[in-house]
Structures are given as structure tokens and as C-alpha cells.
Amino acid sequence: MIRDGVRRVLHLALRRRDRWEREVEEEIKLHIALRTEQLIGEGHDVEHAYAEAVRRFGPLSESRARLMDAARHREGTMRRTEFLTDLRQDLSFAWRGLRRQKGWGAVTVLTLALGIGATTAVFSVVSTLLLHPLPYPNANRVVLLYQQPISGNNTGMSVSIVASPGVVRAWRADARSFEDIQPGRFNVRDLKTASGDPSSVMTTSVLPSFPAFAGQRPIMGRMFTASDVESGAKVVVLGEGFWRERLGGVSTALGRILTIGDTAYTIIGVAPAAMRFGAPGRRATDVWLPLDIRGKVLGGNLMGRLRPGVTPVTAQRELDSIYARTAGGTPQFSAVVKTPGERVAFRDSLLLLAAAVALVLLVACANVAHLLIARTSSRRRELSIRTALGAGRGRIFRQLLTESSILCAMGTVLGVFVGWIGLRLLIAARPSSLDELKAAHLDAFTLGLTILISVASALLFGVLGAIQTSRESTNEALKGAALAATGTGARHRVRRLLVVSEMALSAVLIVGAALAVRSLQRLQSIDVGFDARGLYTMYPTWGAKLEDSVSRRQFLTNFAQRVRSVQGVREVALVQAPPGSRSFSIGRLEIDGATTTGSNDATAFIDVNAVQPHFFRLMGIRLTEGVTFTDTSAASAQVIVNASFARKQWPAGGALGHRVRISRTGTEPWLTVIGVASDARPSGPAAESTAPMLYLPPSSASEAIIVRSAGDARSLAPLAKIARNMGARALTIESVENLMAGFMAEPRFVMLLLTAFSAFGLALATIGLYGVMTFTVAQETRDIGIRVALGASRSSLVRRVIGRGVGLAAAGAGIGLAASTWVTKIIAGRLYGVDRLDPAAFACGGILLVAAAVIACIVPTRRAVSVDPMTAIRNE
Amino acid sequence: MTKLPVLKGTLDLLVLRALSWNPMHGFEIVSWLERAANGSLELDDSALYQAVYRLEGKGLLQAEWGVTENNRRARYYKLSPAGRAYLRAETKNWLQYSETVTDILTSARDAAAMGGAP
């Protein structure tokens, strides 16, 4: 079939070549023959005449070659002109045809546009955030380095340990796996402005070799040099954003003085905005400072570029061995080598959405295929006439292909536009935890991929439909039976197949969305273990005036007093880790007397929180055993643990009196358990609450204040000024209720998108089914007419049509739901309190599909029922 | 007499002119031109065919296989509407050009100084 056509085309090309070569030969032969005759007529004898004729023509081989060339050139030019005229004709015909069927054309273009648009939007995010997040040279080899306790990161968050300077220097010197390792230190510093208002800048300290690593050059001035570092010069390079916003982008910025903290720095250059350090999504650097590699503090962030061919695993092992050599003793930490894309917080959600949108695109393409096939179906009569009037099969084929190409081109252009808008909307609607989203943009990779997909679909559907139709039309010529059963069997099968697959894909999407919805519901109803109503956290930003822990403690104590006196405030307490943040201690959790179980054996991150005794009452956390702290002195050896840990460790009860400690060196004092607090999840419902949590008496580690107030945030606002007057640089007040709601933001965002996608997919599938059922009913008009004439009841007709439609939907649902049992494995890890095979979600999928099928069948059913048997039977 | 070489570009015109009455095949064109030039032009057969093909490629001539009086198969060329228009325009240009050149070549030395030909 297809092979046959292809062969035909190839033959055509070869034959054409033969043909004009033969024609040129013939012309030459005729010319020489006539010339010979002419010369004979003038009196020469035959041989001389012939020789003369040949001579006159010119050296035969040379002339012939030149003529062949000329003829080939001629053929080429003529073929080109013919092609162009045909193309113009095809285009205008196709355009006229489309204008006649505006509705159908519009639906096709719109479907394709929405499918491509959604895909473009989501894939842009994947591409710019996950695949190509950093504009560095050889970015695919750039990695982030940090350390972790050997037992791994059990916190569920991305936490990292700062490698000590000695280790960093050793890594830089000895690691063969890396071309370069760059340390960087982030800071927020005070900037003295002319007006005296406090202002802060984000600073990043880097080595002079960093700009080369990042492949960036200064926009103005220069970057740091080794001599700057050697001489300890007080120089800075501005970030482009800062330079434009705060200094107005003036060219006279060089040489100006910037006072940061208490030191005056000279501005020596401006770095481009593309120069960034660290994981993508960080706030842009305002001011770059030079870093001395020999310094005592190098900062906790490391970037490296792997040598070509080195895997992260190999690199990590090498880093570990160097660390073991340098640090001495038993290694407590292991290195982690991660690509920047892996550090994106919501990577998993993103990949999930990308998969979902790919499904939607498939459904959209199936629908477009559907529409294209349906259209060529209805034009068979017209095309048959054209064939009879002389249009070759190739011509018709080309024409149909042109039509579908125009549609796909329009759909693609519109789709890219829709995608761009969609991306803007996504970014605008992003929850705060997905703030990195704002860096996403439409990039060449996504555009290329999108165009590739649409071109492929255009070719595939256009060609298939065109081949089918052109063959049929040449076979049938003017046969009147436009709806003959033969020849449409195959096409109808294809359409039914398309509908079933659309239904299946929709089923998968619906199940995913349903699971996300139920997951979110569960999330929202999780008992977080404390009362968040009217709860606020206050975080002072220490300035230069409050450098040490003593003055900070003093500040907090005094400030707490002032807070208590505010109208509406019920209670105030000092804490180390207020709701919304976590504090960790790194070490081994040891239990006196018990052989430690495997997981407690190794160094890990252990949640701790130094709180005042009335903390539990304030938060509404119940003490299931024991009492709150009684000894709040510096030497206090009391500790309160969380209920899950107590249950796990001492299942028989009686946690009180046991002793625990977090051990690093083995000499730490033991702490006695005096109380057990019920589990609380101040970091959000999703956080793991069965991990051990140690509450400690208040100490210098207290950094923040929590407040329970009957009033609202406005009543607390004046406290910011008070804090500043007391010496702090700023005060951040947050409502814990908002915080808790914020934790839902990401799951809710994902759920909304999934729901939107599945709704769209289902709508398309419904339209597809409607098309098929309409066609079926039209096909069987005669049949139906006969049945009615023989006495069939309306209800039996209705049952037939709806039965067929629901049958298709059910087939699709069956396949889709079956596939879902496997597909949901992918999202199983992100579901809270919902089993991945949740029957409600699956039932939802099935029910919605059946309902959609019934809706799709309404119009066809009505048509079937209103068939007049007389006209139907007569109308052969 | 010595034959004059055909100036570049004029061969096309000559071929078009030859075909401006009736369609002819290649040999007929050559013969016609030989007769019309009365032997004073150096006409190269293969160059002529090249010119014909070129004109056909440009769309100024249309070709069709036909039959000669002696029942031989021959490729007949005829002017296309575009070819006819081209012939008209280029003939005009050529006549104007040759007139100007002729004037200059036959004028007195100071013809230009005396105001030149009208």
C-alpha cells in the first residue's frame, strides 16, 4: 500500500530522467538526418553528406554533453516553476476549502493549539529549570557539592553541611574528577545609604577564578584579580540588577565607594545578571566580594565542573576518600554531588505535570487525527469528481497534504502563542514555595521540540488520511453511494481505535487528578498536633549591634516583655525553631542502656528545639507523660521527647527517666527524659512526625519568639518599629495559619493543574466520541429505518446508540484504569493518606467516562430516533 | 564572404523571431535562420539548440512532440504569450540600440560638440 505508492514515486523520478535524455538524442538524430538529406539534395554523396552534417553540428560528444546540460537545466527550471504554480494552486484551493468549513477548521486548529500550548508551557519550565538551569559553559558537567551525615538525609528537606575549609582546599588540590571546584559564601549585609535608612544587600564572595568558571565577563570595569585578594583590597563588583536599580545603571559607578557594614569598598566593575552562583532560584547577587582561599571561613556552597566522562558517583567517592584523609578520625560525613536540576525543590511535581501534559498532547493529536479523517471522509464525493475530471492521484494526495499542513501550521503558531500566555499565567499564579518558577521562559529547546511534534503529527495524520482518501477516490470515481460500507471499514476502525485510546488516556489523567484531590483533602484535614489559630512567629534580623548570643538573649527577653503588653496578646514564648523552620543537631542519637537500633547508630540530622517551659501550653501540644521543664538553668539535663519516638523506643511505655543524648565525641552529658509531647508538625502536614524530636530547655540557641494573640497581624505591626529601636535591624512577623496554608500551596497547585488537564482531555475525548457516534448513526440510517419500519421501539434505538457509545468509552476506561494501576506507582510517594489504588479515584474515572459517553451520544441518539423510515429506505 | 559571429544575446532574439509565425522544429529553425541571414552569419547548430532549450526553460517557448510532413517524430517549438511579449520588447530595444550605435559610428568627429544627433 504505502510501499506501493513510494515505489511509484521513485519510478516516476527515474523515468523522467530517462525520458528527456532520450528526447535530446532523438532531436539530435533528426537534425543530423535532415541536414544529411539537405546536403544530399545539394549534390553530395551519402557518406560525405553524413560526415559533413555531423561536422556542422559540432564535435558530437562535446555538443551532446553541452546539450544534455542545457536540457537538464531546462528540465530543472521548468519543474521548479511547475512546482511553484502547483503549490500556489494547492494553497489557494486548500485555503478556500478551509474557509468553507470554518467550524471544523477552527476546532482542529484550536484543539492542536491548546494541546501544543499546554505542552509548550510546561515543557519550558522543565527545560529552563531542570534541564538547562545555568548559563555556564559545559553546563551539563556543572554540579553542586556539599556534605551530608553518613546515614544520609532523613529530614525530607534539602539540608547540607558546610565542608570545612581544610577539606575544601584538599578537594581543590587533589580531586582528579573535577576540572575546577569553586567555593562561594552567601551573606546578607547592611548597606549604608545616604538617607540613613537601613538597607541590606545580598553578597556573594567568590574566588577571582569564578567568572571564568561561569563563562562570564564584566559589563563594565573588571573582576577580581589574585593581587586584589593578596593585598586584601576592599573592592567589590556590583551585580547587574543592583547596579541598574540602586545606582541607575550609570557609567560613572566605577570608582564610587560603597559602605557595607562598617567598611568602605571601591566599586571596580559590574557583573552581568547571567553570572550566578549556586543552585538556580536563589535571589540575584547584589554585590560580589573577593574570597581568599586561604581564609578560615570559605562558605558552605561549592560548585564544581566534572571532567568529561566522570560520573557524579565516581566523583563522590573520590571526594569521600580525600575527606577521610584530611579530616582524620572516623569520617562522619559523606560528599554529595548533585546537578543543579536535581536541587530544584519541586522537581517531582514538575516531572509529574510534564508527564500529564504529554498525555494531554497525545489526546489532542488523536483528536486532530480524528477530525482530519472525518473531514476527508465527507469529501470523498467531491474528490471522486475531481479525479474523474483529470486530477491525478498524486495531485489529490498533495492537495490533502497541503490542507492538513496549513491546519497544523496554524495550530502550531497559535499553540506557541497560547503556550507563551500559559507560561505567563503559570508564573503569575505560582505559589510562593514554587518561586523559582519565575525563571522559566520559552527557550529554543522547547520550541524546537514543539515544532517537531506538530510537524510529525501533521505529516502522520495528513499523509495517512490523504493516502487512504486518494486511493478510494480514484477507485470509486463517480459511484453514487457516498456512504458505501466498503472502504470505510478500515477508516471507521481507525476512528474507533482513536476514540478508545483517547478515553484510555483521559482515564489515566482523571485517576491522577482524583488521587491528587483526595490527597489534598487528607492533607488539609491532618491533625498538625498544635493549634495554629492566632499564632504568630517573630523573627528579628540581628544587626551589627547584636552580634553575640548574650546580647541577643537579652534582646529577646526584653522584647518579649514589650510583646506581652500589646493588646490582645495572650502568651509569648522564646523558641529556637518556630513553626515554619527546623533546627537540627548533627550526631548520633544514643539511648542509655539500650543497644541502639541500626538507624540510630550513624550520624544523622536530629530535630531539636530549645523552648521555654510554657511553650507546650502556648502551642497547644499535649504532654502525654510527665511534665514540662522545671530546671531552666544552663546546666539543666532535662529533655522532652515526642510521642512517636517514645512509642518506638519504649513500646511498653515508661519513657520517663530514661536517658538520651546526641553524641559526636562521646563525651556529651546524658539528658533525662522528663516528659513526652504528642507529635506536632510545625513544618507542615507533610512532614515526617515520627522522627525523633528533642525539646530542650531554653538556652542561647533561642532565636525567635512565638505569640498567641486574639488580635490580628495589624495589632502586632507596631512591634517592628519597637524592635528596631531596641537595636535589631528588622522584625519579620508571620502568621502561622498562613504558613500552614502555604504548605498546601504546592500540592494544591499541582492538583489544580492536573484537574485542568484531565478536564481538557476528557472534553476532547467526548468530542471525539461524538464524532464517531454521529458518523455511525449516519452510516446506519438505512438500517435504522428498516428497524423502525419493522416495529422497533424508540427505547431500543436509544439503547443501541448509547450502548455503542458507552461500549467504546468502557473499553477505553478499562484500558486506562488498568494502565493506571501501574502508572500511579510514579506518584505514590507524593500521596498523603491515600492509597495509590484508591478505589474512589478509580471509580471516579470510570463514572466520568461513562457520563461523558452518554453526553456525547445525546445528539446522535436524537438523530437516530428521528429517522423517518420511508426516506431512509428510499434514500439508497 | 566571411561569416560574422552572432553577438551574445542576439541568438535568442533571432530564434524567437524565427518562431513568430509558425511552430517549427529544430532543423527548420536552423534552416530558416540560414536563409534569412543569407549566409552572412556564423550559425552553430548545437549553440542554437542550447538557445532553444534555454528559452524553453524560461517559459518563452513551448514544446510539443509532433509529426513532420515525412511522418517523422519531431519536437515542435512555438512562442508562448510571454515569449511574444519578450520578442516585441527586446526587438524595440535592439533597434533603438543599434540605431544609436550606428549614429555614433558614422557621425563626424565633433558631432557631440555640435549638439549631437537628435
Side-chain angles (χ1 to χ4, degrees):
Chain A
M1 283 177 288
I2 299 178
R3 248 175 285 135
D4 182 47
V6 168
R7 194 169 3 119
R8 201 98 47 95
V9 169
L10 284 176
H11 271 182
L12 219 54
L14 289 168
R15 269 203 306 233
R16 247 199 198 143
R17 181 133 192 242
D18 275 340
R19 198 186 60 191
W20 56 256
E21 268 184 14
R22 276 186 278 121
E23 287 184 357
V24 171
E25 288 281 8
E26 211 176 323
E27 265 195 292
I28 296 177
K29 258 202 284 236
L30 177 68
H31 179 100
I32 293 184
L34 290 176
R35 176 72 80 193
T36 310
E37 279 167 24
Q38 182 195 54
L39 290 172
I40 291 179
E42 286 171 8
H44 296 75
D45 65 87
V46 178
E47 273 159 37
H48 279 144
Y50 179 75
E52 178 64 16
V54 168
R55 187 198 67 82
R56 289 262 291 258
F57 195 81
L60 209 54
S61 54
E62 212 183 289
S63 311
R64 181 197 275 114
R66 262 188 276 136
L67 277 184
M68 288 297 179
D69 265 344
R72 186 181 313 122
H73 188 79
R74 168 194 79 193
E75 286 298 310
T77 325
M78 284 175 65
R79 198 129 22 111
R80 256 197 309 276
T81 350
E82 194 185 315
F83 177 73
L84 284 176
T85 15
D86 276 349
L87 187 64
R88 227 197 320 257
Q89 217 173 57
D90 279 342
L91 283 175
S92 80
F93 188 82
W95 184 246
R96 281 205 314 269
L98 287 177
R99 281 185 56 185
R100 266 202 307 265
Q101 299 203 302
K102 285 205 199 78
W104 171 86
V107 170
T108 314
V109 168
L110 211 62
T111 309
L112 201 56
L114 285 176
I116 290 183
T119 316
T120 312
V122 174
F123 273 46
S124 310
V125 179
V126 170
S127 173
T128 50
L129 292 186
L130 294 186
L131 298 178
H132 315 114
L134 293 171
Y136 288 12
N138 292 311
N140 54 330
R141 287 191 273 131
V142 172
V143 289
L144 302 167
L145 311 175
Y146 53 98
Q147 284 190 311
Q148 224 166 236
I150 291 207
S151 67
N153 183 353
N154 57 334
T155 62
M157 299 162 48
S158 69
V159 198
S160 56
I161 293 177
V162 173
S164 70
V167 172
V168 174
R169 282 191 282 267
W171 280 348
R172 272 172 60 88
D174 298 333
R176 299 259 153 281
S177 321
F178 290 88
E179 277 177 8
D180 193 6
I181 294 181
Q182 291 280 332
R185 189 166 81 231
F186 296 110
N187 230 328
V188 179
R189 309 276 288 273
D190 284 329
L191 177 71
K192 264 203 185 48
T193 56
S195 58
D197 280 337
S199 178
S200 58
V201 286
M202 310 277 299
T203 68
T204 310
S205 307
V206 290
L207 298 179
S209 52
F210 175 70
F213 177 86
Q216 300 290 338
R217 311 182 81 112
I219 306 180
M220 250 173 68
R222 65 175 180 86
M223 299 287 196
F224 311 122
T225 58
S227 52
D228 287 330
V229 174
E230 284 282 334
S231 58
K234 301 272 177 266
V235 288
V236 291
V237 172
L238 300 182
E240 186 179 352
F242 180 80
W243 172 60
R244 287 194 196 281
E245 275 174 58
R246 302 268 198 106
L247 273 77
V250 296
S251 48
T252 53
L254 295 184
R256 294 241 286 248
I257 305 286
L258 216 58
T259 312
I260 299 178
D262 289 318
T263 324
Y265 293 89
T266 316
I267 300 175
I268 57 166
V270 178
M275 183 159 117
R276 289 204 304 255
F277 188 96
R282 289 200 79 100
R283 277 184 54 189
T285 302
D286 293 323
V287 173
W288 298 88
L289 293 162
L291 183 68
D292 190 345
I293 189 67
R294 303 160 304 185
K296 287 212 209 63
V297 185
L298 282 182
N301 296 275
L302 294 169
M303 298 188 78
R305 183 176 283 118
L306 295 166
R307 283 196 200 281
V310 176
T311 62
V313 176
T314 324
Q316 185 206 309
R317 272 193 238 127
E318 191 191 4
L319 292 179
D320 279 342
S321 66
I322 297 177
Y323 163 73
R325 266 204 324 269
T326 323
T330 23
Q332 296 209 309
F333 306 122
S334 71
V336 180
V337 177
K338 278 248 148 68
T339 58
E342 287 174 289
R343 292 275 292 202
V344 170
F346 53 97
R347 183 166 184 265
D348 294 335
S349 299
L350 210 46
L351 291 175
L352 177 65
L353 288 177
V357 92
L359 288 183
V360 170
L361 183 64
L362 282 177
V363 175
C365 284
N367 242 55
V368 169
H370 218 132
L371 288 164
L372 284 174
I373 292 178
R375 160 110 147 128
T376 50
S377 263
S378 63
R379 294 176 67 201
R380 271 188 23 239
R381 197 84 178 283
E382 168 210 335
L383 292 172
S384 311
I385 296 177
R386 294 192 67 220
T387 314
L389 289 177
R393 206 177 120 189
R395 200 73 172 49
I396 296 208
F397 175 89
R398 227 179 30 219
Q399 206 147 316
L400 293 171
L401 194 60
T402 314
E403 275 180 21
S404 40
S405 303
I406 292 182
L407 282 175
C408 286
M410 284 172 66
T412 310
V413 168
L414 191 62
V416 169
F417 183 63
V418 167
W420 181 77
I421 292 187
L423 189 60
R424 295 265 145 266
L425 286 176
L426 261 183
I427 294 179
R430 73 185 184 283
S432 51
S433 61
L434 303 184
D435 199 46
E436 294 152 292
L437 216 46
K438 68 177 183 293
H441 56 271
L442 217 57
D443 68 344
F445 178 74
T446 314
L447 272 179
L449 197 63
T450 308
I451 291 175
L452 192 68
I453 294 175
S454 71
V455 165
S457 56
L459 286 182
L460 194 62
F461 305 136
V463 165
L464 287 180
I467 288 181
Q468 192 86 355
T469 310
S470 61
R471 186 180 337 135
E472 283 167 19
S473 48
T474 42
N475 283 346
E476 299 218 352
L478 274 175
K479 269 207 211 130
L483 299 174
T486 57
T488 59
R491 195 174 311 129
H492 196 51
R493 255 203 309 275
V494 170
R495 290 183 70 177
R496 283 211 302 262
L497 197 65
L498 280 176
V499 169
V500 167
S501 42
E502 285 184 46
M503 287 287 172
L505 289 171
S506 299
V508 173
L509 282 172
I510 292 175
V511 168
L515 286 175
V517 168
R518 281 179 67 87
S519 175
L520 188 64
Q521 277 178 333
R522 290 287 165 81
L523 211 58
Q524 281 170 327
S525 60
I526 278 182
D527 177 17
V528 289
F530 66 96
D531 188 2
R533 291 170 305 181
L535 202 60
Y536 296 87
T537 63
M538 295 188 186
Y539 246 126
T541 318
W542 310 114
K545 300 205 193 87
L546 295 158
E547 288 278 357
D548 61 298
S549 50
V550 171
S551 45
R552 289 182 187 181
R553 190 74 197 281
Q554 193 60 38
F555 171 92
L556 283 173
T557 319
N558 294 343
F559 187 65
Q561 285 288 80
R562 303 295 295 272
V563 175
R564 257 186 217 103
S565 63
V566 170
Q567 174 89 316
V569 169
R570 299 270 166 74
E571 269 197 283
V572 179
L574 271 63
V575 296
Q576 179 182 7
S581 73
R582 290 163 74 171
S583 294
F584 299 108
S585 200
I586 302 167
R588 282 188 306 279
L589 182 59
E590 291 179 353
I591 297 158
D592 189 19
T595 43
T596 47
T597 53
S599 62
N600 285 342
D601 206 12
T603 314
F605 290 111
I606 301 168
D607 280 275
V608 296
N609 204 353
V611 299
Q612 288 183 315
H614 60 279
F615 167 83
F616 301 97
R617 190 181 66 226
L618 191 160
M619 289 279 284
I621 299 177
R622 220 163 42 90
L623 288 173
T624 55
E625 283 180 55
V627 293
T628 184
F629 298 118
T630 48
D631 176 10
T632 58
S633 67
S636 170
Q638 296 181 331
V639 67
I640 297 176
V641 298
N642 61 326
S644 311
F645 172 68
R647 256 198 310 272
K648 197 166 99 173
Q649 203 55 41
W650 303 284
L656 301 184
H658 281 109
R659 302 200 302 168
V660 300
R661 71 171 175 190
I662 297 177
S663 164
R664 271 182 291 274
T665 59
T667 57
E668 288 84 1
W670 288 98
L671 306 169
T672 313
V673 177
I674 61 152
V676 176
S678 58
D679 294 323
R681 305 183 209 220
S683 308
E688 177 77 64
S689 73
T690 54
M693 171 74 166
L694 302 184
Y695 293 100
L696 301 166
S699 66
S700 53
S702 298
E703 290 269 311
I705 288 181
I706 50 174
V707 177
R708 186 171 294 283
S709 169
D712 61 18
R714 272 197 309 262
S715 60
L716 300 172
L719 288 167
K721 190 121 192 294
I722 297 177
R724 276 205 297 279
N725 291 342
M726 285 173 65
R729 191 139 39 86
L731 186 73
T732 318
I733 304 177
E734 260 176 6
S735 150
V736 177
E737 276 179 285
N738 289 351
L739 199 65
M740 292 291 123
F743 288 125
M744 307 287 183
E746 187 185 327
R748 187 182 300 127
F749 188 64
V750 170
M751 179 213 79
L752 284 176
L753 283 180
L754 277 182
T755 312
F757 289 157
S758 51
F760 181 54
L762 188 61
L764 286 180
T766 313
I767 293 176
L769 184 60
Y770 164 79
V772 166
M773 293 314 297
T774 311
F775 184 75
T776 310
V777 167
Q779 270 267 64
E780 303 184 348
T781 311
R782 234 182 116 214
D783 242 24
I784 297 175
I786 294 176
R787 277 176 208 267
V788 170
L790 288 178
S793 67
R794 269 174 70 128
S795 55
S796 78
L797 282 179
V798 168
R799 264 204 309 272
R800 250 191 81 142
V801 176
I802 294 194
R804 298 273 273 285
V806 171
L808 284 175
I815 299 175
L817 293 179
S820 299
T821 56
W822 176 82
V823 167
T824 48
K825 267 200 211 132
I826 302 173
I827 56 173
R830 311 161 39 77
L831 298 174
Y832 309 114
V834 182
D835 178 35
R836 72 178 182 88
L837 296 176
D838 184 43
F842 278 71
C844 185
I847 293 175
L848 278 178
L849 279 178
V850 170
V854 171
I855 293 176
C857 290
I858 291 181
V859 173
T861 312
R862 237 195 259 151
R863 287 228 192 111
V865 158
S866 62
V867 161
D868 175 20
M870 298 307 291
T871 33
I873 301 177
R874 217 185 316 133
N875 235 357
E876 215 270 35
Chain B
M1 68 187 130
T2 44
K3 294 198 176 202
L4 299 162
V6 176
L7 294 177
K8 214 168 157 67
T10 50
L11 186 55
D12 288 2
L13 264 186
L14 296 176
V15 169
L16 288 174
R17 175 67 173 167
L19 291 169
S20 57
W21 296 279
N22 295 318
M24 295 198 273
H25 60 72
F27 186 71
E28 284 180 319
I29 298 175
V30 174
S31 308
W32 188 93
L33 282 176
E34 281 173 351
R35 277 199 310 277
N38 231 343
S40 46
L41 279 185
E42 193 181 289
L43 292 165
D44 180 2
D45 288 355
S46 61
L48 219 114
Y49 274 95
Q50 280 177 23
V52 168
Y53 290 166
R54 198 170 49 239
L55 291 170
E56 190 191 345
K58 285 201 214 154
L60 301 172
L61 293 181
Q62 279 159 355
E64 211 173 27
W65 280 96
V67 171
T68 69
E69 317 139 333
N70 298 346
N71 262 334
R72 278 178 158 117
R73 217 170 91 96
R75 200 155 190 255
Y76 279 85
Y77 299 92
K78 74 171 198 257
L79 280 189
S80 71
R84 215 168 273 285
Y86 181 84
L87 175 61
R88 232 191 338 262
E90 289 305 305
T91 305
K92 187 155 162 242
N93 288 343
W94 164 263
L95 292 175
Q96 214 161 0
Y97 175 72
S98 61
E99 199 187 311
T100 313
V101 171
T102 311
D103 271 344
I104 296 174
L105 290 177
T106 55
S107 65
R109 181 145 69 115
D110 297 318
M114 285 174 7

